[in-house]
Amino acid sequence: MGEDVTVRVTDADRAAAREGVRRTSRGTTIGGIGFVLLATFAGVVLAQELLPALTGVWRAIASAAAAGALAMPLLLGVSGMAKRRAIESGSEQTAQERIMRAEARRREFESRLSRALEMSDDEEAAFDVVGRAMRAAIPDTPVELLLADNSHAHLERVVLAGEEAPGCPVDSPDGCVACRRAQTQVFADSEDLDSCPMLRGRERGRCSGVCVPVSIMGRTVGVVHATGPVNEPLEDEAVQGAQTLANQAGNRLGMLRVMAETQLQASTDGLTGLVNRRSLENRMRRLRADGMAFAFVMADLDHFKVLNDTYGHEAGDRALRIFSETLRFELRADDTACRYGGEEFAVVLPGVDLHEAVDVSERIRQALATTSGRGDVPVFTASFGIAHSTDAGDLDDLVGRADRAMFAAKTAGRDRICLDGHSTPVVAGLSALA
């Protein structure tokens, strides 16, 4: 994207320019001939009026002399006018070619930037493209992209191009003039009365500045900010490049966020925020394909129907969320917790054997005994069943083993942990897993 763009003016453009010069020349020639004829007629009339005694050849000579005297200034004027028009026409052609080259460069940059951003699968990749585009569109100039965080209350630098940062101290979209006005702002001198206050007091002293707002899904949430020498702000072509960059970056980031939100909704449970059953099964398939052994835990809230019928569905929903929070707090980053369906939950523990899985389940069980006693929901417990991937033929077999172990824990009195193949509950910390 940093390559120079070679722009060719087409034959049609050159032909149009040459035709303009020819029209000017034809008009000037016709006008000159008209002036000469008029001057000749006037010379004849003057010769006849002023020199009536002349006859024959002498009258013709006098008429020609008078016509020449009248026509000469006119011809000189017409010649000068023709030269000026030719020069102006050539200047206009050169200016038009410059405009065409700049417009072609802008279109080429816009197309290449669009293609590069389309290949960005996440925001980090998009930020990398934006940084390279900044260096291509605004070379040798400190440029940064500031974006609001998730709260939309703070601006953070996410992209920097150049050897040093422009260093805008603005800390929120509301504090940025370009964001508030939703318009590009160009400031020639940071000390001008109407310059942005954020430009003043920079370590490098007085400067010029350009600020281009960035909008994502109709909301202004960031700014592309560049600085330069005082009274030397970015040229119009560079400003247009910054605007193109801001528009396309905002569009792509908005699309990526919509896609991420859609994917999140498709892979998570709306009530608890845990991944759903399909996502958990995909996770287990990847682990098996990679040859990674793992423990699988099934958990079921005890007497959940009674809780719902006695205290209402809102209390039941709160119980589900409390258990989900307990799982998230007690599990590792590599572990995966899932709402398997209804009041059933499942946990995948990569690289964990049965003994370690019992310890993890017991931590969850004890933590639940503490957190479920909050005033907004009655005390409740859960029963756990554990199986291991190395003992199962396939995923259905693994889930069936854990489910049967959980049923054994329910049968044994609930609030218990049972292992695959054992009907007697186990307690965390015991060396013998009978």
Side-chain angles (χ1 to χ4, degrees):
M1 191 150 48
E3 300 175 0
D4 292 335
V5 179
T6 301
V7 180
R8 295 181 176 85
V9 179
T10 64
D11 293 338
D13 297 326
R14 292 193 178 94
R18 287 195 296 269
E19 180 61 25
V21 174
R22 284 197 292 268
R23 284 198 298 269
T24 300
S25 299
R26 285 198 299 268
T28 303
T29 301
I30 294 173
I33 293 173
F35 280 127
V36 170
L37 293 176
L38 179 62
T40 302
F41 176 75
V44 172
V45 173
L46 286 174
Q48 290 178 346
E49 292 295 330
L50 298 178
L51 303 171
L54 296 178
T55 60
V57 175
W58 294 105
R59 178 176 292 180
I61 292 173
S63 298
L70 291 172
M72 186 58 66
L74 295 174
L75 289 175
L76 291 175
V78 169
S79 176
M81 184 183 302
K83 289 180 180 179
R84 287 194 299 273
R85 289 188 176 180
I87 293 172
E88 291 173 357
S89 178
S91 299
E92 290 176 359
Q93 179 183 359
T94 301
Q96 184 64 26
E97 289 183 0
R98 281 200 304 268
I99 293 173
M100 291 170 62
R101 289 190 179 95
E103 179 63 20
R105 284 193 297 268
R106 186 194 66 78
R107 289 196 300 267
E108 177 71 9
F109 172 71
E110 185 173 4
S111 298
R112 299 178 74 176
L113 175 60
S114 176
R115 291 194 296 270
L117 286 171
E118 285 178 358
M119 292 184 284
S120 303
D121 295 329
D122 53 37
E123 292 197 14
E124 288 301 321
F127 291 153
D128 179 69
V129 171
V130 169
R132 292 188 292 119
M134 283 178 172
R135 290 186 285 273
I138 317 172
D140 304 321
T141 302
V143 191
E144 60 189 358
L145 170 61
L146 307 176
L147 279 184
D149 58 11
N150 291 334
S151 68
H152 294 284
H154 304 285
L155 283 177
E156 300 174 346
R157 182 192 299 128
V158 294
V159 180
L160 171 63
E163 296 182 357
E164 54 187 5
C168 182
V170 66
D171 61 357
S172 71
D174 292 338
C176 176
V177 174
C179 288
R180 289 203 307 267
R181 296 176 179 174
Q183 292 180 339
T184 298
Q185 305 295 308
V186 179
F187 305 102
D189 187 344
S190 55
E191 295 301 322
D192 284 343
L193 179 62
D194 56 350
S195 282
C196 175
M198 297 296 174
L199 282 174
R200 294 195 288 271
R202 301 284 177 95
E203 292 183 2
R204 296 188 298 275
R206 294 171 63 182
C207 63
S208 60
V210 173
C211 303
V212 182
V214 177
S215 296
I216 297 179
M217 293 182 287
R219 183 174 183 178
T220 304
V221 295
V223 61
V224 174
H225 174 58
T227 57
V230 64
N231 291 321
E232 296 182 22
L234 295 181
E235 296 181 354
D236 290 345
E237 187 172 345
V239 173
Q240 290 178 356
Q243 291 172 332
T244 298
L245 179 61
N247 291 338
Q248 293 213 19
N251 291 339
R252 185 56 183 172
L253 289 172
M255 180 63 67
L256 288 172
R257 292 182 180 183
V258 169
M259 292 168 59
E261 180 67 21
T262 302
Q263 184 176 5
L264 180 64
Q265 292 176 354
S267 62
T268 58
D269 173 63
L271 178 63
T272 64
L274 300 178
V275 300
N276 57 25
R277 180 172 176 172
R278 182 180 63 181
S279 298
L280 183 80
E281 291 173 346
N282 290 336
R283 167 73 165 153
M284 290 193 291
R285 290 189 185 96
R286 288 194 297 270
L287 289 174
R288 290 178 70 90
D290 294 339
M292 172 70 74
F294 59 93
F296 183 71
V297 181
M298 291 288 291
D300 185 87
L301 302 191
D302 297 328
H303 303 295
F304 186 74
K305 185 177 184 304
V306 175
L307 188 151
N308 260 337
D309 293 343
T310 304
Y311 298 97
H313 290 287
E314 290 185 2
D317 290 346
R318 286 196 296 271
L320 294 172
R321 285 193 290 266
I322 288 173
F323 188 70
S324 303
E325 292 171 5
T326 304
L327 291 175
R328 276 191 288 263
F329 185 79
E330 296 296 335
L331 296 177
R332 305 169 303 175
D334 290 340
D335 300 333
T336 304
C338 153
R339 185 183 178 193
Y340 206 70
E343 66 272 24
E344 283 189 340
F345 292 79
V347 178
V348 172
L349 305 171
V352 171
D353 60 24
L354 286 175
H355 293 76
E356 293 167 327
V358 170
D359 291 339
V360 173
S361 300
E362 178 62 12
R363 287 203 312 268
I364 296 171
R365 193 187 68 82
Q366 292 180 359
L368 182 62
T370 302
T371 57
S372 67
R374 300 189 318 201
D376 57 348
V377 68
V379 176
F380 65 93
T381 61
S383 299
F384 300 83
I386 305 173
H388 202 270
S389 62
T390 55
D391 298 325
D394 55 26
L395 292 183
D396 290 338
D397 183 25
L398 178 63
V399 172
R401 287 170 176 266
D403 188 62
R404 287 191 294 271
M406 182 183 67
F407 182 76
K410 291 274 191 183
T411 303
R414 296 182 173 83
D415 192 19
R416 301 286 190 274
I417 302 171
C418 274
L419 288 175
D420 170 32
H422 297 267
S423 58
T424 303
V426 297
V427 180
L430 293 181
S431 58
L433 302 178

